[in-house]
């Protein structure tokens, strides 16, 4: 149905002309703006990046086709390969720490909240606070807290007799990446907590009652009934962690450590590498084509992860009708 | 005069044909009910009449005008939906006035018509309420009131009562019937409840798989079903079917029964006999036409349904008086009334026979 | 979930004491983690109201008469341009959210309501972006913005964030719209509403709660983003709060009270908003999560 009014021969006397059926323009009107903006500012740039990565820049500003030349450079040229593999490795460590610390912690908190203790609402609300804050702010706050200059961390550890443990973690090559990862865990644990909590809430009470009638204890109900039912959510949490790992962590590292991933590239990740490659830094001049190559590599790495998730994980995690 | 005419109306969703060429004429003021099993295309057909579903082929005319390309709002119809479809953010008055306001009708006219409809349906005390503050029955009444306000030439109902509980459904059924008597407007009503169909309809249209199986008054369909499908679909409990054959004299025998005196036209093959549970008489075992063992006796008080095993896959159901004493395990004789027997051929077509019940006109 | 009380049995007393023990354990863990979650925030806000000696002498103490000072805030408000940055962040976030919700809902409506040939394909195309971070196209986005002469404008951020937020919005909204009753839209058609008015007057009011969920999901990453402001709009006039704080702190590393004050200025409004809206926000996240 449209508002288009056409001249039709009227056989019944009616006060006004009749609207006709059949126009489909409204579908285009509804879809066009979203499709347009999304295509121009999200899909096109992605494809353009892939294209740029296949060219090499000349001094006069023109570009020449190199095929996979940039990728070969990135993966095998000594100057590039070291940085690339290091950054990728660091990203994987970051992901690993999130998987073993953030997600189990989120699961624990969600499980406890789902027992509906008193103040559950308040706990939930407050634990989610860090997630709302800008990564930049979180980064600075922790930098100050961990700073030997201020000494808050030192004082607090000292108060419980653990003063000897303290080290300027963010500044040490051996611990910087772990420290940054844990800060990120601190900030984002609210998200897995919420997702898992919601999944736990959606398990019908009757099912839990049935398990209780079957004689299962609270702990057994958790492992044998609840956990299998929320596995799909845990799968989603894992893939979100994986994707976020390549994007969101840039902000944190950039604001705490800067763009070089100090000390000595120990916190350098794909995001900082891409930023540096693209815009240049100190001695290095920016290179659009290598930047696009790094971005494209990230794209493929994410694609691999998502594919593994979709093919290997998600299909096996049956979604139960609840 | 015909109010609504369907000519070779077809509908396909993509490659799937859902309505296969339907022809139908509905007279002015008539109450027509579409029945049929789930998925047979009742709603689709109704929505095509409303203009909500484009037509793949054929022609639909309302009044004298072909409306194939005309928008729903200008077809002179009003529709009542199963889920009521009230606008949740408008109160009862707002819901009823909505279409007229949208059409730019005069305020006083709107008010008069809304109050008139509210009066018919007893909705005056509820006019300021929001839909969520109404019971299911009240909501359905508002939905009907909203249709009345539009003063349509045809009312379309799509299973309007199926979300209501049994008692309310009976009450609303009567109310819709009274409404039809009062407004005398053409109504087309979709349901899969055959009690609704039998009680409301001037004429019933039985649909199956997108085709019309039979059109007729409720009693025509009951007494003279044209085929096995209609015979089985109309009537509750369902008609009993028995395999049958025709002997040399043109008389019919059902499996295990004595020959029945049912002369059918020569040349027609007979494969099945149909008889409704209420047209079977009980007698002592060995007497009557058939004998079998009672499997279950369902006693409803006023009447009793006996499920009798005749050696067929399905038990044979007899609707007997509430006072019968037969227990399960007992043998009973069954007497069939020739004038109520239905004879079907290999394609399921009903064959007239001499004894067949004459319609009470 | 509700714990059903067990019938009184011989074991009930032991059971009860074990239950109290377990409840205490639950509270210990939750309260302990809540403390960890809040401590850094409280510490920073608290110290931002102290003078230099207070900050270093007793970082864990509340500001008292001797240590209380607003010098940090004075510096920040004097030197930084935070009102402007806030305004920028607000414009960018609100405008992006408006576009994401409006355009996302329109597209989702078209995908959920109408049958047309490209429907499924377009649906998949639109939600691809959930899996692929928009940042990977940064190189080309910057070139594009240069070509469009949009560098250092808020519009560039708005367009990018809209493109970034649309996939998840279209996904959640179309899933939900498919569950809406078809009858009510058909009824509006019979009542003579155009398809546009059906969208605005019938569908939009029905999806309001889900719009809130989508707003929450989309808002946090936009407000907090550092990457695109840094790359597309780092000029003084177009800085967002996140970028502004980041750069301010870079300049004032030695002035601790100013640093702490600027952090607090960035944190406090967010916390205030959260205090007001946390109920809806949490409900939104959990309901959205159940769907997705
Ligand atoms: N939008 C659609 N797309 C594809 N097929 C459809 C669509 N709507 C209906 N159908 C198909 O058309 C057939 C008829 O559907 P319709 O809703 O008219 O049945 P119905 O007789 O009203 O059934 P019920 O009694 O269950 O309401 C069904 O097989 C259905 O699957
Ligand atoms: Mg139907």
């Amino acid at each position: 149905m449209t508002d288009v009014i056409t001249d039709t021969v009227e056989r019944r006397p009616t006060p006004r002309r009749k609207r006709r059926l059949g126009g489909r323009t409204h579908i285009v009107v509804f879809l066009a703006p979203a499709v347009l903006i999304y295509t121009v500012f999200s899909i096109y740039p992605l494809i353009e990046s892939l294209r740029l990565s296949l060219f090499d820049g000349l001094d006069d500003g023109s570009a020449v086709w190199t095929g996979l030349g940039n990728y070969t450079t990135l993966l095998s040229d000594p100057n590039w390969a070291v940085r690339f593999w290091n950054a990728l490795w660091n990203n994987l460590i970051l992901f690993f720490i999130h998987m073993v610390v953030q997600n189990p912690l989120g699961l624990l908190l969600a499980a406890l909240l789902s027992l509906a203790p008193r103040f559950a609402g308040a706990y939930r609300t407050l634990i989610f606070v860090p997630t709302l804050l800008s990564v930049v702010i979180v980064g600075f706050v922790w930098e100050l807290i961990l700073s030997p200059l201020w000494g808050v961390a030192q004082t607090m550890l000292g108060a419980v007799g653990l003063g000897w443990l303290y080290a300027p973690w963010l500044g040490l090559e051996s611990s910087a990446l772990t420290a940054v990862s844990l800060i990120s865990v601190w900030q984002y644990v609210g998200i897995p907590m919420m997702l898992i909590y919601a999944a736990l809430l959606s398990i019908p009470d009757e099912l839990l009652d049935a398990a209780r009638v079957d004689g299962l204890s609270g702990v057994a109900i958790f492992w044998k009934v609840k956990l299998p039912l929320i596995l799909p959510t845990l799968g989603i949490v894992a893939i979100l962690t994986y994707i976020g790992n390549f994007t969101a962590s840039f902000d944190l590292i950039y604001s705490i450590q800067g763009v070089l991933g100090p000390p000595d590239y120990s916190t350098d990740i794909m995001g900082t590498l891409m930023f540096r490659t693209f815009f240049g830094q100190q001695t290095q001049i920016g290179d659009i084509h290598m930047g696009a190559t790094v971005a494209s590599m990230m794209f493929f790495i994410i694609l691999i992860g998502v594919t593994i998730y979709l093919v290997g994980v998600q299909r096996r995690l049956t979604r139960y009708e609840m | 005069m015909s109010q609504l005419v369907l000519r070779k109306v077809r509908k396909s969703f993509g490659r799937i044909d859902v309505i296969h060429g339907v022809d139908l004429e509905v007279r002015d003021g008539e109450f027509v009910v579409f029945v049929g099993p789930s998925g047979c295309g009742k709603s689709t057909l109704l929505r095509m009449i409303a203009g909500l579903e484009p037509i793949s082929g054929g022609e639909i005319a309302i009044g004298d005008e072909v409306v194939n390309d005309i928008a729903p709002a200008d077809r002179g119809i009003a529709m009542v939906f199963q889920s009521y479809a009230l606008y949740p953010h408008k109160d009862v008055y707002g819901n009823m006035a909505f279409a007229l306001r949208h059409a730019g009708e005069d305020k006083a006219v709107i008010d008069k018509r809304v109050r008139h409809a509210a009066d018919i349906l007893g909705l005056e005390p509820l006019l300021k309420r929001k839909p969520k503050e109404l019971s299911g029955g009240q909501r359905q009444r508002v939905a009907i009131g909203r249709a009345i306000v539009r003063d349509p030439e045809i009312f379309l109902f799509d299973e309007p009562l199926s979300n209501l509980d049994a008692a309310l459904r009976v009450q609303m059924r009567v109310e819709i019937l009274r409404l039809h008597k009062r407004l005398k407007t053409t109504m087309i009503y979709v349901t899969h409840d055959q009690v609704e169909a039998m009680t409301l309809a001037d004429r019933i249209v039985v649909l199956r798989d997108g085709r019309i199986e039979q059109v007729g008054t409720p009693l025509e369909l009951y007494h003279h079903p044209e085929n096995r499908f209609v015979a089985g679909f109309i009537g509750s409990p369902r008609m009993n079917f028995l395999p049958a054959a025709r002997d040399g004299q043109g008389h019919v025998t059902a499996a295990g029964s004595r020959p029945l005196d049912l002369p059918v036209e020569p040349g027609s093959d007979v494969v099945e006999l149909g008889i409704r549970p209420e047209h079977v008489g009980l007698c002592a075992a060995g007497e009557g036409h058939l004998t079998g063992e009672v499997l279950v006796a369902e006693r409803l008080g006023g009447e009793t349904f006996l499920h009798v095993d005749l050696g067929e896959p399905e038990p044979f159901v007899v609707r007997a008086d509430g006072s019968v004493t037969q227990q399960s395990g007992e043998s009973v004789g069954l007497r069939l009334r020739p004038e109520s027997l239905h004879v079907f051929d290999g394609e399921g077509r009903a064959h007239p026979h001499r004894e067949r019940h004459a319609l009470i006109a | 979930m509700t714990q059903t009380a067990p019938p009184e049995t011989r074991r009930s007393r032991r059971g009860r004491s074990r239950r109290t023990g377990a409840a205490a354990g639950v509270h210990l863990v939750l309260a302990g983690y809540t403390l960890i979650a809040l401590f850094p925030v409280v510490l920073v806000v608290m110290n931002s109201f102290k003078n230099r000696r207070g900050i270093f002498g007793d970082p864990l103490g509340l500001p008292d008469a001797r240590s209380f000072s607003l010098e940090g805030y004075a510096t920040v408000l004097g030197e930084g341009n935070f009102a402007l940055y806030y305004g920028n962040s607000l414009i960018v976030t609100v405008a992006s959210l408006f576009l994401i919700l409006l355009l996302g809902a329109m597209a989702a409506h078209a995908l959920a309501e109408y049958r047309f040939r490209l429907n499924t394909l377009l649906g998949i195309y639109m939600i691809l972006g959930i899996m692929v971070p928009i940042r990977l196209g940064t190189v080309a986005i910057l070139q594009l913005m240069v070509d469009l002469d949009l560098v250092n404008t808020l519009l560039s951020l708005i367009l990018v964030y809209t493109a970034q937020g649309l996939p998840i919005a279209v996904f959640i909204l179309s899933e939900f719209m498919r569950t809406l009753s078809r009858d009510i839209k058909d009824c509006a058609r019979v009542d003579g509403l155009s398809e546009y008015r059906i969208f605005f007057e019938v569908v939009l009011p029905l999806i309001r709660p889900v719009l809130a969920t989508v707003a929450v999901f989309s808002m946090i990453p936009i407000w907090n983003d550092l990457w695109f402001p840094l790359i597309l709009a780092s000029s003084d006039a177009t800085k967002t709060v996140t970028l502004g704080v980041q750069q301010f702190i870079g300049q004032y590393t030695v002035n601790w009270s100013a640093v702490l004050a600027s952090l607090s200025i960035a944190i406090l409004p967010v916390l205030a908003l959260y205090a007001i809206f946390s109920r809806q926000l949490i409900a939104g996240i959990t309901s959205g999560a159940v769907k997705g």
Side-chain angles (χ1 to χ4, degrees), chain A residues 12 16 18-21, chain B residues 65 69 71 74-75 153:
Chain A
R12 265 197 309 175
R16 64 197 167 89
K18 298 195 171 180
R19 279 160 297 180
R20 306 293 303 250
L21 268 177
Chain B
E65 185 187 18
D69 294 331
D74 292 336
R75 290 189 179 197
E153 292 170 48

Side-chain angles (χ1 to χ4, degrees), chain B residues 13-337:
Chain B
F13 290 109
R15 238 172 291 148
I16 307 156
D17 292 329
V18 175
I19 303 286
H20 310 265
V22 164
D23 287 292
L24 182 69
E25 294 202 8
V26 176
R27 287 184 291 272
D28 198 6
E30 206 174 8
F31 199 125
V32 170
V33 175
F34 293 174
V35 285
S38 187
C40 69
K42 308 179 291 285
S43 299
T44 306
L45 196 56
L46 195 75
R47 290 163 51 79
M48 286 160 81
I49 296 170
L52 293 168
E53 208 68 79
I55 306 170
S56 311
E59 226 176 50
I60 295 182
I62 294 177
D64 288 328
E65 185 187 18
V66 174
V67 295
N68 283 22
D69 294 331
I70 291 182
D74 292 336
R75 290 189 179 197
I77 52 121
M79 189 155 171
V80 178
F81 297 86
Q82 175 177 352
S83 64
Y84 320 135
L86 301 179
Y87 302 112
H89 49 296
K90 298 189 191 304
D91 62 12
V92 169
Y93 189 99
N95 264 287
M96 289 171 64
F98 187 73
L100 293 184
R101 278 186 189 153
H102 178 70
E105 191 66 68
D106 188 57
K107 253 211 167 86
V109 176
I110 296 177
D111 193 64
K112 211 177 104 216
R113 280 161 72 173
V114 169
R115 301 219 173 264
H116 175 67
D119 175 50
I120 293 178
L121 294 164
L123 288 171
E124 292 103 334
L126 307 178
L127 283 175
K128 285 278 152 292
R129 297 227 196 138
K130 286 274 169 63
K132 66 166 185 281
E133 299 158 345
L134 300 175
S135 71
Q138 290 168 335
R139 279 179 212 189
Q140 195 51 276
R141 217 165 296 180
V142 175
I144 295 173
R146 183 170 60 177
I148 295 176
V149 168
R150 300 195 55 209
D151 190 19
E153 292 170 48
I154 305 180
F155 279 97
L156 305 175
F157 295 89
D158 192 356
E159 307 203 20
L161 306 186
S162 54
N163 280 2
L164 303 179
D165 64 43
L168 212 50
R169 209 177 304 168
V170 175
Q171 185 193 332
M172 286 300 293
R173 202 171 72 206
V174 175
E175 221 163 298
I176 290 178
L177 202 56
R178 287 214 331 248
L179 189 70
H180 182 241
K181 295 264 176 299
R182 172 162 183 176
L183 299 177
K184 297 189 177 60
T185 313
T186 312
M187 293 189 174
I188 298 179
Y189 188 105
V190 166
T191 181
H192 56 246
D193 179 324
Q194 50 159 308
V195 179
E196 274 173 33
M198 298 296 282
T199 51
L200 290 172
D202 294 327
R203 280 196 304 159
I204 296 179
V205 176
V206 182
L207 289 162
R208 175 167 66 151
D209 290 343
R211 291 196 172 81
I212 292 185
E213 291 285 322
Q214 189 173 351
V215 182
T217 65
L219 291 182
E220 268 167 7
L221 297 189
Y222 180 81
H223 290 294
H224 291 172
E226 280 170 10
N227 54 47
R228 192 183 185 279
F229 176 79
V230 175
F233 193 79
I234 301 288
S236 170
R238 238 169 90 82
M239 182 182 282
N240 297 294
F241 293 100
L242 290 171
R246 194 167 66 120
D247 66 13
Q249 284 88 40
H251 288 197
V252 174
T253 336
S257 83
R258 309 220 174 110
L260 294 155
D261 187 25
L262 279 184
V264 280
E265 284 168 36
S268 56
D269 64 327
V270 172
V271 258
E272 248 180 337
L273 210 58
I275 178 106
R276 297 194 187 278
E278 52 270 37
H279 297 151
V280 180
L282 288 177
C283 53
E287 290 176 25
H289 300 99
L290 294 156
T291 298
E293 185 185 318
V294 176
L295 294 172
V296 182
E298 293 180 305
R299 299 184 193 282
L300 304 183
E303 55 193 8
T304 298
F305 296 138
L306 296 177
H307 295 244
V308 180
D309 182 18
L310 293 179
E312 300 295 322
E314 299 264 315
F316 189 97
V317 180
V318 179
R319 177 183 215 152
D321 194 71
S323 60
V324 298
T325 53
Q326 275 85 353
Q327 304 281 340
S328 68
E330 256 175 68
S331 278
V332 289
L334 307 175
R335 183 171 290 136
L336 312 180
R337 289 193 225 145

Side-chain angles (χ1 to χ4, degrees), chain A residues 41 93 181 264:
Chain A
F41 295 101
I93 293 180
S181 307
D264 195 20

Side-chain angles (χ1 to χ4, degrees), chain C residues 8-271:
Chain C
E8 285 290 317
T9 64
R10 260 172 298 156
R11 285 167 42 214
S12 73
R13 185 175 304 171
R14 222 173 76 213
R16 197 178 301 150
S17 72
R18 211 177 33 218
R19 185 154 303 165
T20 1
V26 168
H27 281 286
L28 199 71
V29 175
L30 288 175
Y33 194 82
T34 305
L35 217 63
I36 295 178
L38 292 185
F39 167 74
V41 178
V42 174
L43 184 76
V44 165
V45 173
M46 196 170 77
N47 280 289
S48 71
F49 291 102
K50 294 182 191 169
N51 56 23
R52 197 180 157 74
R53 187 174 315 129
I55 293 172
F56 282 96
D58 180 19
L60 298 178
L62 280 169
D64 56 24
R66 268 197 314 145
S67 63
F68 181 83
S69 148
L70 291 174
E71 67 187 63
Y73 288 93
T75 316
V76 171
L77 297 178
E79 309 283 325
N81 214 345
F82 281 90
L84 176 69
Y85 303 159
Y86 256 108
N88 289 339
S89 275
L90 213 63
I91 292 172
V92 169
T93 308
V94 170
S96 307
L97 273 187
F98 176 77
L99 288 175
I100 290 171
L101 295 181
L102 179 68
L103 305 186
M106 279 164 53
H109 175 67
L111 293 175
E113 175 74 11
Y114 305 112
R115 289 189 295 267
F116 52 94
R117 216 173 307 135
L118 290 175
N119 190 316
T120 320
L121 213 64
L122 261 180
I124 295 172
Y125 176 72
M126 283 305 292
I127 61 177
L128 268 186
I130 299 179
M131 291 295 183
V132 187
I134 192 170
R135 283 186 190 191
L136 299 183
T138 304
V139 174
I141 289 178
L142 180 58
Q143 280 193 338
L144 188 64
M145 292 301 176
V146 172
D147 293 343
L148 295 175
D149 207 12
L150 287 176
V151 176
N152 281 330
T153 62
L154 296 181
L155 183 60
S156 66
L157 292 179
I158 293 170
L159 288 170
V160 170
Y161 291 144
T162 305
Q164 167 186 297
L166 276 172
I168 191 95
V170 170
F171 176 69
I172 296 179
L173 291 173
S174 64
E175 289 283 300
F176 182 76
M177 284 175 178
R178 277 179 234 279
T179 68
L180 290 183
S181 131
R182 181 171 68 166
D183 288 356
I184 193 153
K185 287 168 271 180
D186 283 344
C187 186
R189 273 177 203 125
V190 173
D191 282 347
L193 267 69
S194 69
E195 294 299 318
Y196 304 105
R197 292 192 54 184
I198 288 175
F199 173 72
F200 284 104
E201 290 177 28
V202 179
V203 174
L204 274 192
L206 289 175
I207 61 165
R208 218 179 283 151
V210 193
L211 282 180
T213 305
V214 175
V216 168
F217 267 109
S218 322
M219 186 176 61
I220 299 175
I222 296 176
W223 180 269
N224 285 340
D225 187 39
L226 176 66
W227 177 273
F228 284 114
L230 191 61
I231 291 169
L232 296 179
S234 57
S235 78
D236 239 334
T238 55
K239 261 179 219 164
T240 59
V241 181
T242 306
L243 181 60
V245 170
Q246 198 261 344
Q247 298 194 338
F248 180 87
I249 292 175
Q251 290 161 23
Y252 286 80
T253 35
V254 288
N255 186 344
W256 278 66
S257 35
V259 167
L260 290 169
S262 67
L263 288 175
S264 302
I265 282 185
I267 292 173
L268 286 173
V270 177
L271 288 190

Side-chain angles (χ1 to χ4, degrees), chain A residues 19-183:
Chain A
R19 279 160 297 180
R20 306 293 303 250
L21 268 177
R24 308 283 270 168
T25 42
H26 54 271
I27 299 181
V28 177
V29 173
F30 281 133
L31 276 168
V35 172
L36 206 71
I37 292 189
Y38 171 68
T39 304
V40 173
F41 295 101
S42 184
I43 296 296
Y44 160 76
L46 201 70
I47 294 170
E48 176 67 7
S49 287
L50 290 174
R51 196 185 68 82
L52 283 174
S53 73
L54 302 176
F55 287 81
D56 206 357
L58 297 179
D59 291 338
D60 62 1
S62 62
V64 21
W65 171 264
T66 59
L68 295 178
N70 291 331
Y71 292 90
T72 320
T73 308
L74 184 65
L75 297 179
S76 59
D77 180 282
N79 289 323
W80 287 99
V82 172
R83 294 281 71 85
F84 171 76
W85 292 113
N86 174 59
L88 181 57
W89 179 243
N90 286 342
N91 255 131
L92 292 180
I93 293 180
L94 208 67
F95 174 59
F96 177 74
I97 294 180
H98 281 83
M99 285 301 282
V100 299
V101 183
Q102 171 186 284
N103 298 343
L105 184 61
L107 176 62
L108 173 72
L109 294 171
L112 295 181
L113 284 176
S114 76
L115 297 176
R118 292 184 62 176
F119 317 122
Y123 288 137
R124 205 178 49 185
T125 309
L126 294 175
I127 292 176
F128 200 71
V129 164
T131 308
L132 296 170
L133 300 179
S134 163
V135 183
V136 174
I137 291 159
V138 168
F140 278 118
V141 167
W142 278 99
E143 200 181 351
L144 297 180
I145 291 175
L146 297 178
S147 145
L149 218 59
W150 200 9
V152 171
Q154 212 167 357
T155 317
M156 291 185 63
L157 281 175
V160 290
L162 293 173
W164 52 272
L165 253 180
Y166 176 80
W169 289 298
L170 283 172
L172 297 180
E173 216 176 301
S174 57
S175 59
L177 186 61
T178 311
V180 170
S181 307
L182 290 178
I183 293 173

